[in-house]
Amino acid sequence: MFNWFRRKINQTDSEPASEPTEQVTQPETEAPEQNSPSEDYLTWAKTAYKNIQQRQTPSTASTSTTETPEKEITPEREPVAQPESESPVIEAKEETPAWMQKSDRLEALKETAIETATVEETTPLTFDAEFVWSAKVLAAQGRAPDDISEEEINWLKRLRQGLGKSRRGLVNQLKSIVGQGPLNEDAVMEIEALLLQADTGIEATDHIISTLQNKLLEEALPPEQALEYLKSILREILDRPLQKVVNPGFAPEKGVLNIWLLTGVNGAGKTTTIGKLAHLAQQSGYDCIIAAADTFRAAAVEQVKVWGERTNTPVIANPGKNTDPAAVVFDGISAAQARQADLLLVDTAGRLQNKKNLMAELAKIRRIIDKKAVDAQIESLLVLDSTLGQNGLRQAQVFSEAANLSGVVLTKLDGTAKGGVALAVAQQLDLPIRFIGVGEGIEDLRPFSSYEFVEALLNE
């Protein structure tokens, strides 16, 4: 079982990029013959691909067994919905009140979601340019070719594709500017415009330009080296909030109840993120429970239940209308403690930052968690729509006061979003980015790695 929360990443400081390449070279005497680093990474990638192929047979069998229950869900539901006979079905459908017809749309949502996930999970792994790039990123972090999983390769491919629009607009222009020596006024204006267009924000942009200018005044760097130094500046910004965090790796602690409270405005992808986190936790070996505390939005609880069925995760919900969200959270904590679950995901009502009554309700939920689960490891995550840019940051500032935010989940980085918003979050909010989402599929949310993110953003 691959544990995404315990994944080995960000080892670039202690283990330089050259070390993993030495693990794939045969005798030490042949090492000098390999003059090009790209050849080293290509050899490393071939070895990693061969190792994955050797594990392909059992992994394919396992994926087929996990997919069969999902495929069987669709035909099984139809007999349940039609218990009498086949003939009265049409008549019953015509006489069904409007408020009962929501269940039909819910079933369609379940079937569509399951079919989409099945297609994604059966995509074959190919040795192409994307695979070589993904292998290079993993090798640079000190990974061994026999320690690479197919899931990691697929995730890096999706990350690179998701940030493709931002990357294509940044890399070539930045290389042409920083390769001309110390930055003059025109160059500074060009870089500033590029970064602001990428939603980097004024504070992060000023820090990047001043740091880069100081370096180029000390020594003239070729374009490639200047770009590498720029990457180090971006990684430093993204990793800075982690210095004050007790749990930099952000893995649920075994033997203790971990409670993750997810907040955010409607439309940010909060409920979808809950489902993807539940799937990620189950796939990583953690017992997970969801508390459907979004009792304010219509059909929100039903949406959470769909994700609960997809991920085989128990959902604690109150069937009544206008129920107290804090009461649902209380019941969720009781259920998690009784079942000795590792992780409780709490879905809260989407709210605007200017709705004082809803923000007060959010603070009430946090107080219930603090009282009911004294020994629990509590995290409060803000789900932020990356396409909102600076508007999302203003929302986050208000949420941080009411919910004691400890991290951010960036969603929708595969659309019109600019990758620079991650830098703005870290610089202006001083909050670590814990997860990023680059698509709508169930596998498209993963723990955040500053090294992988920057490489996907600024690597050709």
Side-chain angles (χ1 to χ4, degrees):
M1 180 176 291
F2 187 78
N3 189 339
W4 274 98
F5 297 96
R6 299 288 182 186
R7 182 167 168 252
K8 301 174 184 176
I9 55 176
N10 292 352
Q11 302 297 324
T12 52
D13 293 334
S14 58
E15 298 182 60
S18 58
E19 290 193 9
T21 60
E22 294 176 2
Q23 297 175 6
V24 255
T25 55
Q26 290 84 15
E28 295 183 0
T29 55
E30 296 181 5
E33 297 179 6
Q34 298 181 353
N35 297 323
S36 173
S38 61
E39 293 179 3
D40 293 341
Y41 283 119
L42 185 59
T43 304
W44 196 98
K46 290 179 179 178
T47 305
Y49 184 74
K50 183 179 180 180
N51 290 331
I52 292 177
Q53 277 190 318
Q54 291 175 351
R55 300 192 298 265
Q56 199 74 26
T57 304
S59 66
T60 312
S62 63
T63 52
S64 62
T65 55
T66 53
E67 287 173 6
T68 46
E70 292 182 343
K71 290 181 180 179
E72 291 172 0
I73 291 177
T74 305
E76 283 179 2
R77 284 186 185 130
E78 300 199 10
V80 174
Q82 307 164 10
E84 291 95 9
S85 64
E86 295 184 0
S87 54
V89 172
I90 299 177
E91 299 177 3
K93 196 170 185 179
E94 293 176 354
E95 298 174 0
T96 303
W99 63 272
M100 288 288 290
Q101 295 177 6
K102 290 191 298 183
S103 60
D104 295 335
R105 293 194 295 271
L106 186 61
E107 295 299 323
L109 174 62
K110 294 178 183 178
E111 295 174 5
T112 304
I114 293 172
E115 290 173 2
T116 302
T118 303
V119 172
E120 291 176 358
E121 292 172 2
T122 55
T123 303
L125 188 67
T126 57
F127 188 85
D128 52 11
E130 295 289 342
F131 184 98
V132 174
W133 175 85
S134 303
K136 182 179 179 180
V137 170
L138 293 170
Q141 297 181 88
R143 301 292 298 279
D146 58 350
D147 188 32
I148 300 303
S149 68
E150 182 179 355
E151 293 92 334
E152 291 178 288
I153 295 291
N154 287 332
W155 161 247
L156 288 174
K157 284 185 177 183
R158 290 195 296 269
L159 177 61
R160 179 174 168 80
Q161 292 167 0
L163 295 175
K165 294 180 181 179
S166 298
R167 180 177 64 256
R168 287 188 291 270
L170 280 174
V171 176
N172 292 332
Q173 297 181 67
L174 283 173
K175 287 178 69 174
S176 64
I177 296 172
V178 299
Q180 300 174 1
L183 303 179
N184 54 31
E185 185 175 352
D186 292 337
V188 169
M189 293 290 289
E190 289 184 54
I191 294 181
E192 185 176 35
L194 285 174
L195 294 174
L196 290 177
Q197 289 172 10
D199 278 340
T200 305
I202 295 177
E203 293 183 20
T205 299
D206 290 343
H207 175 76
I208 293 169
I209 290 178
S210 60
T211 306
L212 184 61
Q213 176 72 304
N214 292 336
K215 179 66 174 179
L216 294 179
L217 286 174
E218 295 176 1
E219 57 178 319
L221 298 176
E224 294 291 342
Q225 294 185 22
L227 192 61
E228 288 300 319
Y229 185 73
L230 177 60
K231 291 179 183 179
S232 68
I233 298 174
L234 303 188
R235 289 195 297 268
E236 184 269 333
I237 293 176
L238 294 170
D239 290 335
R240 191 185 306 147
L242 292 174
Q243 297 176 359
K244 62 177 184 179
V245 174
V246 179
N247 183 12
F250 207 67
E253 184 178 342
K254 284 286 188 178
V256 177
L257 177 59
N258 300 266
I259 302 177
W260 292 359
L261 178 70
L262 277 88
T263 63
V265 301
N266 285 329
K270 178 172 51 61
T271 303
T272 303
T273 298
I274 285 270
K276 293 179 181 179
L277 283 176
H279 172 75
L280 190 65
Q282 297 284 9
Q283 293 296 312
S284 300
Y286 297 93
D287 293 328
C288 181
I289 292 179
I290 300 176
D294 185 356
T295 59
F296 183 76
R297 181 169 62 92
V301 175
E302 295 301 320
Q303 187 179 359
V304 174
K305 289 181 179 179
V306 170
W307 281 103
E309 292 182 11
R310 273 185 76 182
T311 60
N312 195 26
T313 303
V315 176
I316 306 302
N318 193 320
K321 295 182 179 180
N322 299 323
T323 55
D324 184 8
V328 178
V329 174
F330 186 92
D331 293 340
I333 295 174
S334 300
Q337 291 172 338
R339 303 182 190 187
Q340 296 183 341
D342 300 311
L343 180 62
L344 173 65
L345 299 173
V346 180
D347 185 22
T348 64
R351 64 207 75 218
L352 296 175
Q353 66 273 21
N354 57 359
K355 296 293 184 181
K356 294 184 179 180
N357 58 332
L358 290 177
M359 296 303 286
E361 176 190 279
L362 186 60
K364 178 183 177 182
I365 291 176
R366 184 58 192 257
R367 290 194 299 270
I368 291 293
I369 294 175
D370 292 336
K371 292 180 180 179
K372 176 66 176 175
V374 180
D375 298 327
Q377 298 292 329
I378 304 171
E379 301 287 348
S380 185
L381 302 176
L382 174 68
V383 180
L384 196 61
D385 184 346
S386 301
T387 61
L388 296 179
Q390 295 298 305
N391 291 331
L393 295 181
R394 297 188 187 98
Q395 297 174 2
Q397 290 172 350
V398 179
F399 274 100
S400 62
E401 299 173 0
N404 298 325
L405 295 180
S406 58
V408 174
V409 180
L410 282 180
T411 62
K412 306 181 184 180
L413 272 170
D414 60 317
T416 58
K418 312 293 182 19
V421 69
L423 299 162
V425 168
Q427 180 75 22
Q428 294 178 227
L429 301 180
D430 197 26
L431 288 172
I433 300 172
R434 292 306 195 177
F435 299 91
I436 54 173
V438 294
E440 298 180 358
I442 198 171
E443 299 284 346
D444 291 335
L445 183 83
R446 290 290 184 259
F448 179 75
S449 163
S450 64
Y451 181 82
E452 294 172 357
F453 179 84
V454 172
E455 287 298 313
L457 184 63
L458 292 181
N459 199 296
E460 292 182 286

